[in-house]
Amino acid sequence: MPAPALVLCSVVSIQIGQALGKHLFGSAGPMGVVALRLGFSAVLLCALWRPRLPADRRERLLVVAFGTAIAGMNVIYLALRYLPLGVAVAIQLLGPLAVVLLTSRRLRDLLWGLLAGAGLLLFTAPSLAGDPGAGRSLPAAGVVLALAGAVAMGAYLLLSRRAGRLAVDGSPLALAVAWAALLWVPAGVAESGTRLARPEVLLVGLAVAVLSAAGPYSLELAALRRLPPRVVGVLQNLEPVAAGLAGLAVLGEMLSPAQWTAVCCVTAAAVGAVVTQGRAAPAGGSPGPGSPSRRGRSASRGRGTPRPVPRR
């Protein structure tokens, strides 16, 4: 399979997994879905990498912080109770985009920020777009939860570049996901109780974990052996569009024209930031918000070559 197709399959797989997770809300609740997703992902990743706890105390604290950021990113599932999948994913993408724009010293990067801001405005005040089918504004609770996920994703970007240097494989990620699972599983059990132990719920929960974590991880690693990180980053920033289509296909969620315009604004801003960062960055520099380093993929391999680590 061509390498770009591997990345696109990863993007689609993640969003189908999230759509299935939302579909499971009626049986397990949002917190229960997160508990199943992170629990199964932790088991799969720990079985794959067999990680060992770092000996240094500062490295252990870094893994804990990294895992806490991963746990925070999963707040998006709580936002999905109120928001369509495409809208929630686009708002969450504002976090890593903000990190890249705030650390940029180029005035022209403000254009990408303005474009993303226009998208957020269309989300929160759809009537401004003159779209009679948009209806009233999005629920404030959903927007706040999605923005909390965006903050966590921004923290993930900052922490992943350090956590990825702890090992040349996926061990730091496995440990971090295990910690995130420990944070979420009690909440999931408290919300859903014995419903989480139903065979049909466990089966769908496992599918969510494979589609949104283990499967994309393998696809991205295969693609990154053949593609520059900047190219992978551009393709990954198509996630809001893929989320909108997955929400339509799996959940029957219809986005209004204003909301689709907002999704495209945020996606274009993220892609533009990746492309311009990639051209301006020196060799080995940060490739931007949607690149492998955006969601936790930089580590050292060989003579200091960046070693990608998966994002979620």
Side-chain angles (χ1 to χ4, degrees), residues 72-110:
M73 289 167 58
N74 281 269
V75 170
I76 190 175
Y77 282 88
L78 306 187
L80 290 178
R81 185 193 291 270
Y82 307 97
L83 303 178
L85 179 60
V87 172
V89 170
I91 293 177
Q92 190 183 42
L93 185 60
L94 294 174
L97 176 60
V99 169
V100 172
L101 296 180
L102 290 174
T103 55
S104 173
R105 298 179 180 179
R106 296 175 300 160
L107 185 61
R108 66 179 182 180
D109 282 340
L110 290 177

PDB file of all heavy atoms in Angstrom, residues 72-110:
ATOM      1  N   GLY A  72      -6.369  13.609  29.796  1.00  0.00           N
ATOM      2  CA  GLY A  72      -7.101  14.842  29.509  1.00  0.00           C
ATOM      3  C   GLY A  72      -7.621  14.907  28.091  1.00  0.00           C
ATOM      4  O   GLY A  72      -8.719  15.428  27.845  1.00  0.00           O
ATOM      5  N   MET A  73      -6.864  14.374  27.135  1.00  0.00           N
ATOM      6  CA  MET A  73      -7.331  14.364  25.748  1.00  0.00           C
ATOM      7  C   MET A  73      -8.614  13.568  25.594  1.00  0.00           C
ATOM      8  O   MET A  73      -9.443  13.867  24.726  1.00  0.00           O
ATOM      9  CB  MET A  73      -6.240  13.784  24.856  1.00  0.00           C
ATOM     10  CG  MET A  73      -5.041  14.690  24.671  1.00  0.00           C
ATOM     11  SD  MET A  73      -3.644  13.825  23.920  1.00  0.00           S
ATOM     12  CE  MET A  73      -4.363  13.259  22.386  1.00  0.00           C
ATOM     13  N   ASN A  74      -8.813  12.563  26.431  1.00  0.00           N
ATOM     14  CA  ASN A  74     -10.004  11.728  26.330  1.00  0.00           C
ATOM     15  C   ASN A  74     -11.253  12.402  26.871  1.00  0.00           C
ATOM     16  O   ASN A  74     -12.346  11.826  26.796  1.00  0.00           O
ATOM     17  CB  ASN A  74      -9.764  10.396  27.046  1.00  0.00           C
ATOM     18  CG  ASN A  74      -8.955   9.431  26.208  1.00  0.00           C
ATOM     19  OD1 ASN A  74      -9.492   8.621  25.459  1.00  0.00           O
ATOM     20  ND2 ASN A  74      -7.632   9.520  26.308  1.00  0.00           N
ATOM     21  N   VAL A  75     -11.102  13.610  27.385  1.00  0.00           N
ATOM     22  CA  VAL A  75     -12.272  14.399  27.759  1.00  0.00           C
ATOM     23  C   VAL A  75     -13.157  14.660  26.538  1.00  0.00           C
ATOM     24  O   VAL A  75     -14.346  14.958  26.674  1.00  0.00           O
ATOM     25  CB  VAL A  75     -11.830  15.721  28.428  1.00  0.00           C
ATOM     26  CG1 VAL A  75     -12.991  16.685  28.615  1.00  0.00           C
ATOM     27  CG2 VAL A  75     -11.192  15.427  29.784  1.00  0.00           C
ATOM     28  N   ILE A  76     -12.585  14.534  25.345  1.00  0.00           N
ATOM     29  CA  ILE A  76     -13.381  14.730  24.133  1.00  0.00           C
ATOM     30  C   ILE A  76     -14.584  13.800  24.105  1.00  0.00           C
ATOM     31  O   ILE A  76     -15.642  14.132  23.547  1.00  0.00           O
ATOM     32  CB  ILE A  76     -12.509  14.536  22.874  1.00  0.00           C
ATOM     33  CG1 ILE A  76     -13.292  14.986  21.625  1.00  0.00           C
ATOM     34  CG2 ILE A  76     -12.048  13.100  22.735  1.00  0.00           C
ATOM     35  CD1 ILE A  76     -12.488  14.953  20.353  1.00  0.00           C
ATOM     36  N   TYR A  77     -14.475  12.615  24.737  1.00  0.00           N
ATOM     37  CA  TYR A  77     -15.622  11.707  24.759  1.00  0.00           C
ATOM     38  C   TYR A  77     -16.762  12.284  25.594  1.00  0.00           C
ATOM     39  O   TYR A  77     -17.932  12.020  25.311  1.00  0.00           O
ATOM     40  CB  TYR A  77     -15.201  10.336  25.283  1.00  0.00           C
ATOM     41  CG  TYR A  77     -14.481   9.520  24.242  1.00  0.00           C
ATOM     42  CD1 TYR A  77     -13.110   9.618  24.076  1.00  0.00           C
ATOM     43  CD2 TYR A  77     -15.177   8.667  23.396  1.00  0.00           C
ATOM     44  CE1 TYR A  77     -12.446   8.887  23.103  1.00  0.00           C
ATOM     45  CE2 TYR A  77     -14.535   7.932  22.421  1.00  0.00           C
ATOM     46  CZ  TYR A  77     -13.163   8.048  22.276  1.00  0.00           C
ATOM     47  OH  TYR A  77     -12.515   7.331  21.302  1.00  0.00           O
ATOM     48  N   LEU A  78     -16.446  13.047  26.622  1.00  0.00           N
ATOM     49  CA  LEU A  78     -17.495  13.728  27.380  1.00  0.00           C
ATOM     50  C   LEU A  78     -18.124  14.830  26.538  1.00  0.00           C
ATOM     51  O   LEU A  78     -19.331  15.070  26.614  1.00  0.00           O
ATOM     52  CB  LEU A  78     -16.919  14.314  28.678  1.00  0.00           C
ATOM     53  CG  LEU A  78     -16.172  13.348  29.604  1.00  0.00           C
ATOM     54  CD1 LEU A  78     -15.810  14.044  30.905  1.00  0.00           C
ATOM     55  CD2 LEU A  78     -17.003  12.102  29.879  1.00  0.00           C
ATOM     56  N   ALA A  79     -17.296  15.493  25.726  1.00  0.00           N
ATOM     57  CA  ALA A  79     -17.825  16.532  24.838  1.00  0.00           C
ATOM     58  C   ALA A  79     -18.753  15.940  23.783  1.00  0.00           C
ATOM     59  O   ALA A  79     -19.691  16.607  23.327  1.00  0.00           O
ATOM     60  CB  ALA A  79     -16.673  17.285  24.169  1.00  0.00           C
ATOM     61  N   LEU A  80     -18.500  14.687  23.396  1.00  0.00           N
ATOM     62  CA  LEU A  80     -19.322  14.066  22.356  1.00  0.00           C
ATOM     63  C   LEU A  80     -20.754  13.821  22.817  1.00  0.00           C
ATOM     64  O   LEU A  80     -21.627  13.546  21.993  1.00  0.00           O
ATOM     65  CB  LEU A  80     -18.690  12.740  21.910  1.00  0.00           C
ATOM     66  CG  LEU A  80     -17.396  12.856  21.117  1.00  0.00           C
ATOM     67  CD1 LEU A  80     -16.850  11.478  20.781  1.00  0.00           C
ATOM     68  CD2 LEU A  80     -17.601  13.663  19.843  1.00  0.00           C
ATOM     69  N   ARG A  81     -21.005  13.920  24.104  1.00  0.00           N
ATOM     70  CA  ARG A  81     -22.393  13.829  24.584  1.00  0.00           C
ATOM     71  C   ARG A  81     -23.210  15.018  24.078  1.00  0.00           C
ATOM     72  O   ARG A  81     -24.437  14.930  23.923  1.00  0.00           O
ATOM     73  CB  ARG A  81     -22.416  13.790  26.113  1.00  0.00           C
ATOM     74  CG  ARG A  81     -23.797  13.566  26.705  1.00  0.00           C
ATOM     75  CD  ARG A  81     -23.784  13.854  28.203  1.00  0.00           C
ATOM     76  NE  ARG A  81     -23.014  12.877  28.952  1.00  0.00           N
ATOM     77  CZ  ARG A  81     -23.515  11.757  29.459  1.00  0.00           C
ATOM     78  NH1 ARG A  81     -24.796  11.466  29.258  1.00  0.00           N
ATOM     79  NH2 ARG A  81     -22.757  10.931  30.157  1.00  0.00           N
ATOM     80  N   TYR A  82     -22.523  16.143  23.827  1.00  0.00           N
ATOM     81  CA  TYR A  82     -23.206  17.372  23.438  1.00  0.00           C
ATOM     82  C   TYR A  82     -22.950  17.789  21.985  1.00  0.00           C
ATOM     83  O   TYR A  82     -23.754  18.522  21.412  1.00  0.00           O
ATOM     84  CB  TYR A  82     -22.742  18.530  24.341  1.00  0.00           C
ATOM     85  CG  TYR A  82     -22.864  18.251  25.810  1.00  0.00           C
ATOM     86  CD1 TYR A  82     -21.771  17.798  26.542  1.00  0.00           C
ATOM     87  CD2 TYR A  82     -24.069  18.446  26.474  1.00  0.00           C
ATOM     88  CE1 TYR A  82     -21.881  17.543  27.897  1.00  0.00           C
ATOM     89  CE2 TYR A  82     -24.187  18.202  27.832  1.00  0.00           C
ATOM     90  CZ  TYR A  82     -23.083  17.742  28.545  1.00  0.00           C
ATOM     91  OH  TYR A  82     -23.199  17.480  29.892  1.00  0.00           O
ATOM     92  N   LEU A  83     -21.817  17.366  21.413  1.00  0.00           N
ATOM     93  CA  LEU A  83     -21.384  17.877  20.112  1.00  0.00           C
ATOM     94  C   LEU A  83     -21.305  16.774  19.072  1.00  0.00           C
ATOM     95  O   LEU A  83     -21.021  15.613  19.408  1.00  0.00           O
ATOM     96  CB  LEU A  83     -19.997  18.525  20.236  1.00  0.00           C
ATOM     97  CG  LEU A  83     -19.826  19.666  21.233  1.00  0.00           C
ATOM     98  CD1 LEU A  83     -18.371  20.127  21.242  1.00  0.00           C
ATOM     99  CD2 LEU A  83     -20.752  20.825  20.901  1.00  0.00           C
ATOM    100  N   PRO A  84     -21.505  17.107  17.802  1.00  0.00           N
ATOM    101  CA  PRO A  84     -21.197  16.150  16.734  1.00  0.00           C
ATOM    102  C   PRO A  84     -19.711  15.827  16.723  1.00  0.00           C
ATOM    103  O   PRO A  84     -18.876  16.639  17.141  1.00  0.00           O
ATOM    104  CB  PRO A  84     -21.621  16.893  15.461  1.00  0.00           C
ATOM    105  CG  PRO A  84     -22.534  17.973  15.911  1.00  0.00           C
ATOM    106  CD  PRO A  84     -22.082  18.353  17.280  1.00  0.00           C
ATOM    107  N   LEU A  85     -19.380  14.652  16.228  1.00  0.00           N
ATOM    108  CA  LEU A  85     -17.993  14.200  16.241  1.00  0.00           C
ATOM    109  C   LEU A  85     -17.076  15.161  15.481  1.00  0.00           C
ATOM    110  O   LEU A  85     -15.998  15.512  15.957  1.00  0.00           O
ATOM    111  CB  LEU A  85     -17.913  12.795  15.631  1.00  0.00           C
ATOM    112  CG  LEU A  85     -16.530  12.162  15.530  1.00  0.00           C
ATOM    113  CD1 LEU A  85     -15.891  12.018  16.901  1.00  0.00           C
ATOM    114  CD2 LEU A  85     -16.617  10.795  14.845  1.00  0.00           C
ATOM    115  N   GLY A  86     -17.478  15.575  14.280  1.00  0.00           N
ATOM    116  CA  GLY A  86     -16.633  16.462  13.488  1.00  0.00           C
ATOM    117  C   GLY A  86     -16.354  17.780  14.167  1.00  0.00           C
ATOM    118  O   GLY A  86     -15.239  18.315  14.108  1.00  0.00           O
ATOM    119  N   VAL A  87     -17.348  18.325  14.853  1.00  0.00           N
ATOM    120  CA  VAL A  87     -17.180  19.596  15.554  1.00  0.00           C
ATOM    121  C   VAL A  87     -16.217  19.431  16.728  1.00  0.00           C
ATOM    122  O   VAL A  87     -15.300  20.236  16.924  1.00  0.00           O
ATOM    123  CB  VAL A  87     -18.546  20.121  16.040  1.00  0.00           C
ATOM    124  CG1 VAL A  87     -18.372  21.339  16.937  1.00  0.00           C
ATOM    125  CG2 VAL A  87     -19.438  20.462  14.851  1.00  0.00           C
ATOM    126  N   ALA A  88     -16.405  18.384  17.522  1.00  0.00           N
ATOM    127  CA  ALA A  88     -15.552  18.168  18.698  1.00  0.00           C
ATOM    128  C   ALA A  88     -14.094  17.971  18.298  1.00  0.00           C
ATOM    129  O   ALA A  88     -13.178  18.523  18.926  1.00  0.00           O
ATOM    130  CB  ALA A  88     -16.056  16.971  19.486  1.00  0.00           C
ATOM    131  N   VAL A  89     -13.842  17.182  17.248  1.00  0.00           N
ATOM    132  CA  VAL A  89     -12.468  16.925  16.817  1.00  0.00           C
ATOM    133  C   VAL A  89     -11.818  18.201  16.297  1.00  0.00           C
ATOM    134  O   VAL A  89     -10.636  18.471  16.555  1.00  0.00           O
ATOM    135  CB  VAL A  89     -12.456  15.812  15.747  1.00  0.00           C
ATOM    136  CG1 VAL A  89     -11.072  15.689  15.109  1.00  0.00           C
ATOM    137  CG2 VAL A  89     -12.870  14.484  16.367  1.00  0.00           C
ATOM    138  N   ALA A  90     -12.574  19.010  15.565  1.00  0.00           N
ATOM    139  CA  ALA A  90     -12.012  20.259  15.046  1.00  0.00           C
ATOM    140  C   ALA A  90     -11.651  21.212  16.179  1.00  0.00           C
ATOM    141  O   ALA A  90     -10.594  21.853  16.153  1.00  0.00           O
ATOM    142  CB  ALA A  90     -13.006  20.913  14.093  1.00  0.00           C
ATOM    143  N   ILE A  91     -12.513  21.317  17.198  1.00  0.00           N
ATOM    144  CA  ILE A  91     -12.199  22.196  18.328  1.00  0.00           C
ATOM    145  C   ILE A  91     -10.986  21.679  19.085  1.00  0.00           C
ATOM    146  O   ILE A  91     -10.111  22.455  19.497  1.00  0.00           O
ATOM    147  CB  ILE A  91     -13.426  22.312  19.263  1.00  0.00           C
ATOM    148  CG1 ILE A  91     -14.564  23.044  18.550  1.00  0.00           C
ATOM    149  CG2 ILE A  91     -13.050  23.045  20.544  1.00  0.00           C
ATOM    150  CD1 ILE A  91     -15.844  23.136  19.360  1.00  0.00           C
ATOM    151  N   GLN A  92     -10.863  20.366  19.253  1.00  0.00           N
ATOM    152  CA  GLN A  92      -9.717  19.811  19.964  1.00  0.00           C
ATOM    153  C   GLN A  92      -8.417  20.092  19.222  1.00  0.00           C
ATOM    154  O   GLN A  92      -7.365  20.285  19.840  1.00  0.00           O
ATOM    155  CB  GLN A  92      -9.897  18.313  20.166  1.00  0.00           C
ATOM    156  CG  GLN A  92      -8.862  17.705  21.111  1.00  0.00           C
ATOM    157  CD  GLN A  92      -8.999  16.210  21.240  1.00  0.00           C
ATOM    158  OE1 GLN A  92      -9.224  15.510  20.258  1.00  0.00           O
ATOM    159  NE2 GLN A  92      -8.865  15.699  22.451  1.00  0.00           N
ATOM    160  N   LEU A  93      -8.468  20.135  17.910  1.00  0.00           N
ATOM    161  CA  LEU A  93      -7.266  20.395  17.120  1.00  0.00           C
ATOM    162  C   LEU A  93      -6.710  21.794  17.358  1.00  0.00           C
ATOM    163  O   LEU A  93      -5.544  22.064  17.080  1.00  0.00           O
ATOM    164  CB  LEU A  93      -7.572  20.200  15.630  1.00  0.00           C
ATOM    165  CG  LEU A  93      -6.411  20.324  14.644  1.00  0.00           C
ATOM    166  CD1 LEU A  93      -5.336  19.288  14.943  1.00  0.00           C
ATOM    167  CD2 LEU A  93      -6.908  20.170  13.215  1.00  0.00           C
ATOM    168  N   LEU A  94      -7.534  22.703  17.907  1.00  0.00           N
ATOM    169  CA  LEU A  94      -7.066  24.057  18.179  1.00  0.00           C
ATOM    170  C   LEU A  94      -5.946  24.071  19.218  1.00  0.00           C
ATOM    171  O   LEU A  94      -5.143  25.004  19.248  1.00  0.00           O
ATOM    172  CB  LEU A  94      -8.230  24.920  18.666  1.00  0.00           C
ATOM    173  CG  LEU A  94      -9.356  25.185  17.652  1.00  0.00           C
ATOM    174  CD1 LEU A  94     -10.504  25.921  18.334  1.00  0.00           C
ATOM    175  CD2 LEU A  94      -8.833  25.971  16.464  1.00  0.00           C
ATOM    176  N   GLY A  95      -5.886  23.044  20.081  1.00  0.00           N
ATOM    177  CA  GLY A  95      -4.858  23.016  21.121  1.00  0.00           C
ATOM    178  C   GLY A  95      -3.447  22.940  20.571  1.00  0.00           C
ATOM    179  O   GLY A  95      -2.627  23.849  20.804  1.00  0.00           O
ATOM    180  N   PRO A  96      -3.103  21.887  19.829  1.00  0.00           N
ATOM    181  CA  PRO A  96      -1.755  21.828  19.264  1.00  0.00           C
ATOM    182  C   PRO A  96      -1.479  22.935  18.271  1.00  0.00           C
ATOM    183  O   PRO A  96      -0.346  23.407  18.158  1.00  0.00           O
ATOM    184  CB  PRO A  96      -1.717  20.448  18.585  1.00  0.00           C
ATOM    185  CG  PRO A  96      -3.125  20.048  18.425  1.00  0.00           C
ATOM    186  CD  PRO A  96      -3.870  20.661  19.569  1.00  0.00           C
ATOM    187  N   LEU A  97      -2.504  23.380  17.551  1.00  0.00           N
ATOM    188  CA  LEU A  97      -2.309  24.494  16.625  1.00  0.00           C
ATOM    189  C   LEU A  97      -1.921  25.753  17.388  1.00  0.00           C
ATOM    190  O   LEU A  97      -1.019  26.498  16.974  1.00  0.00           O
ATOM    191  CB  LEU A  97      -3.590  24.723  15.818  1.00  0.00           C
ATOM    192  CG  LEU A  97      -3.594  25.911  14.862  1.00  0.00           C
ATOM    193  CD1 LEU A  97      -2.499  25.774  13.824  1.00  0.00           C
ATOM    194  CD2 LEU A  97      -4.958  26.043  14.187  1.00  0.00           C
ATOM    195  N   ALA A  98      -2.565  25.997  18.527  1.00  0.00           N
ATOM    196  CA  ALA A  98      -2.238  27.166  19.344  1.00  0.00           C
ATOM    197  C   ALA A  98      -0.806  27.101  19.856  1.00  0.00           C
ATOM    198  O   ALA A  98      -0.093  28.118  19.897  1.00  0.00           O
ATOM    199  CB  ALA A  98      -3.214  27.277  20.510  1.00  0.00           C
ATOM    200  N   VAL A  99      -0.354  25.893  20.259  1.00  0.00           N
ATOM    201  CA  VAL A  99       1.016  25.752  20.745  1.00  0.00           C
ATOM    202  C   VAL A  99       2.016  26.156  19.669  1.00  0.00           C
ATOM    203  O   VAL A  99       2.968  26.902  19.920  1.00  0.00           O
ATOM    204  CB  VAL A  99       1.275  24.305  21.211  1.00  0.00           C
ATOM    205  CG1 VAL A  99       2.768  24.086  21.472  1.00  0.00           C
ATOM    206  CG2 VAL A  99       0.481  23.997  22.462  1.00  0.00           C
ATOM    207  N   VAL A 100       1.801  25.679  18.454  1.00  0.00           N
ATOM    208  CA  VAL A 100       2.728  25.993  17.366  1.00  0.00           C
ATOM    209  C   VAL A 100       2.695  27.478  17.036  1.00  0.00           C
ATOM    210  O   VAL A 100       3.732  28.116  16.849  1.00  0.00           O
ATOM    211  CB  VAL A 100       2.393  25.143  16.117  1.00  0.00           C
ATOM    212  CG1 VAL A 100       3.213  25.594  14.922  1.00  0.00           C
ATOM    213  CG2 VAL A 100       2.660  23.679  16.397  1.00  0.00           C
ATOM    214  N   LEU A 101       1.497  28.068  16.979  1.00  0.00           N
ATOM    215  CA  LEU A 101       1.403  29.481  16.622  1.00  0.00           C
ATOM    216  C   LEU A 101       1.972  30.376  17.712  1.00  0.00           C
ATOM    217  O   LEU A 101       2.605  31.400  17.424  1.00  0.00           O
ATOM    218  CB  LEU A 101      -0.057  29.842  16.347  1.00  0.00           C
ATOM    219  CG  LEU A 101      -0.704  29.143  15.144  1.00  0.00           C
ATOM    220  CD1 LEU A 101      -2.144  29.593  14.985  1.00  0.00           C
ATOM    221  CD2 LEU A 101       0.082  29.415  13.864  1.00  0.00           C
ATOM    222  N   LEU A 102       1.768  30.012  18.980  1.00  0.00           N
ATOM    223  CA  LEU A 102       2.282  30.824  20.078  1.00  0.00           C
ATOM    224  C   LEU A 102       3.797  30.764  20.185  1.00  0.00           C
ATOM    225  O   LEU A 102       4.430  31.693  20.700  1.00  0.00           O
ATOM    226  CB  LEU A 102       1.654  30.379  21.404  1.00  0.00           C
ATOM    227  CG  LEU A 102       0.173  30.714  21.580  1.00  0.00           C
ATOM    228  CD1 LEU A 102      -0.363  30.094  22.862  1.00  0.00           C
ATOM    229  CD2 LEU A 102      -0.044  32.228  21.593  1.00  0.00           C
ATOM    230  N   THR A 103       4.393  29.675  19.721  1.00  0.00           N
ATOM    231  CA  THR A 103       5.853  29.566  19.764  1.00  0.00           C
ATOM    232  C   THR A 103       6.496  30.041  18.468  1.00  0.00           C
ATOM    233  O   THR A 103       7.722  30.015  18.350  1.00  0.00           O
ATOM    234  CB  THR A 103       6.267  28.102  20.015  1.00  0.00           C
ATOM    235  OG1 THR A 103       5.666  27.250  19.015  1.00  0.00           O
ATOM    236  CG2 THR A 103       5.812  27.646  21.390  1.00  0.00           C
ATOM    237  N   SER A 104       5.695  30.499  17.526  1.00  0.00           N
ATOM    238  CA  SER A 104       6.243  30.993  16.265  1.00  0.00           C
ATOM    239  C   SER A 104       6.610  32.465  16.394  1.00  0.00           C
ATOM    240  O   SER A 104       5.946  33.229  17.105  1.00  0.00           O
ATOM    241  CB  SER A 104       5.221  30.802  15.132  1.00  0.00           C
ATOM    242  OG  SER A 104       5.686  31.412  13.948  1.00  0.00           O
ATOM    243  N   ARG A 105       7.637  32.867  15.696  1.00  0.00           N
ATOM    244  CA  ARG A 105       8.072  34.260  15.710  1.00  0.00           C
ATOM    245  C   ARG A 105       7.767  34.972  14.394  1.00  0.00           C
ATOM    246  O   ARG A 105       8.206  36.098  14.183  1.00  0.00           O
ATOM    247  CB  ARG A 105       9.588  34.326  15.961  1.00  0.00           C
ATOM    248  CG  ARG A 105      10.001  33.742  17.308  1.00  0.00           C
ATOM    249  CD  ARG A 105      11.500  33.822  17.490  1.00  0.00           C
ATOM    250  NE  ARG A 105      11.905  33.254  18.773  1.00  0.00           N
ATOM    251  CZ  ARG A 105      13.170  33.170  19.181  1.00  0.00           C
ATOM    252  NH1 ARG A 105      14.144  33.619  18.394  1.00  0.00           N
ATOM    253  NH2 ARG A 105      13.457  32.645  20.345  1.00  0.00           N
ATOM    254  N   ARG A 106       7.007  34.338  13.549  1.00  0.00           N
ATOM    255  CA  ARG A 106       6.714  34.922  12.238  1.00  0.00           C
ATOM    256  C   ARG A 106       5.315  35.527  12.232  1.00  0.00           C
ATOM    257  O   ARG A 106       4.346  34.887  12.630  1.00  0.00           O
ATOM    258  CB  ARG A 106       6.835  33.857  11.145  1.00  0.00           C
ATOM    259  CG  ARG A 106       8.253  33.302  11.005  1.00  0.00           C
ATOM    260  CD  ARG A 106       8.281  32.182  10.004  1.00  0.00           C
ATOM    261  NE  ARG A 106       7.396  31.099  10.424  1.00  0.00           N
ATOM    262  CZ  ARG A 106       6.929  30.181   9.595  1.00  0.00           C
ATOM    263  NH1 ARG A 106       7.211  30.231   8.313  1.00  0.00           N
ATOM    264  NH2 ARG A 106       6.150  29.216  10.048  1.00  0.00           N
ATOM    265  N   LEU A 107       5.232  36.756  11.764  1.00  0.00           N
ATOM    266  CA  LEU A 107       3.969  37.467  11.757  1.00  0.00           C
ATOM    267  C   LEU A 107       2.943  36.794  10.858  1.00  0.00           C
ATOM    268  O   LEU A 107       1.747  36.776  11.165  1.00  0.00           O
ATOM    269  CB  LEU A 107       4.197  38.916  11.302  1.00  0.00           C
ATOM    270  CG  LEU A 107       2.981  39.838  11.359  1.00  0.00           C
ATOM    271  CD1 LEU A 107       2.472  39.946  12.792  1.00  0.00           C
ATOM    272  CD2 LEU A 107       3.333  41.216  10.806  1.00  0.00           C
ATOM    273  N   ARG A 108       3.399  36.197   9.772  1.00  0.00           N
ATOM    274  CA  ARG A 108       2.440  35.617   8.829  1.00  0.00           C
ATOM    275  C   ARG A 108       1.708  34.413   9.428  1.00  0.00           C
ATOM    276  O   ARG A 108       0.624  34.051   8.961  1.00  0.00           O
ATOM    277  CB  ARG A 108       3.140  35.193   7.547  1.00  0.00           C
ATOM    278  CG  ARG A 108       4.137  34.050   7.709  1.00  0.00           C
ATOM    279  CD  ARG A 108       4.750  33.691   6.378  1.00  0.00           C
ATOM    280  NE  ARG A 108       5.679  32.569   6.490  1.00  0.00           N
ATOM    281  CZ  ARG A 108       6.347  32.077   5.452  1.00  0.00           C
ATOM    282  NH1 ARG A 108       6.193  32.590   4.257  1.00  0.00           N
ATOM    283  NH2 ARG A 108       7.179  31.050   5.625  1.00  0.00           N
ATOM    284  N   ASP A 109       2.265  33.807  10.474  1.00  0.00           N
ATOM    285  CA  ASP A 109       1.571  32.690  11.101  1.00  0.00           C
ATOM    286  C   ASP A 109       0.298  33.137  11.817  1.00  0.00           C
ATOM    287  O   ASP A 109      -0.556  32.310  12.140  1.00  0.00           O
ATOM    288  CB  ASP A 109       2.486  31.974  12.098  1.00  0.00           C
ATOM    289  CG  ASP A 109       3.486  31.066  11.399  1.00  0.00           C
ATOM    290  OD1 ASP A 109       3.232  30.705  10.242  1.00  0.00           O
ATOM    291  OD2 ASP A 109       4.518  30.728  11.999  1.00  0.00           O
ATOM    292  N   LEU A 110       0.181  34.456  12.053  1.00  0.00           N
ATOM    293  CA  LEU A 110      -1.048  34.960  12.641  1.00  0.00           C
ATOM    294  C   LEU A 110      -2.239  34.714  11.720  1.00  0.00           C
ATOM    295  O   LEU A 110      -3.376  34.615  12.178  1.00  0.00           O
ATOM    296  CB  LEU A 110      -0.919  36.462  12.928  1.00  0.00           C
ATOM    297  CG  LEU A 110       0.029  36.860  14.072  1.00  0.00           C
ATOM    298  CD1 LEU A 110       0.100  38.368  14.178  1.00  0.00           C
ATOM    299  CD2 LEU A 110      -0.438  36.246  15.388  1.00  0.00           C
TER     300      LEU A 110
END
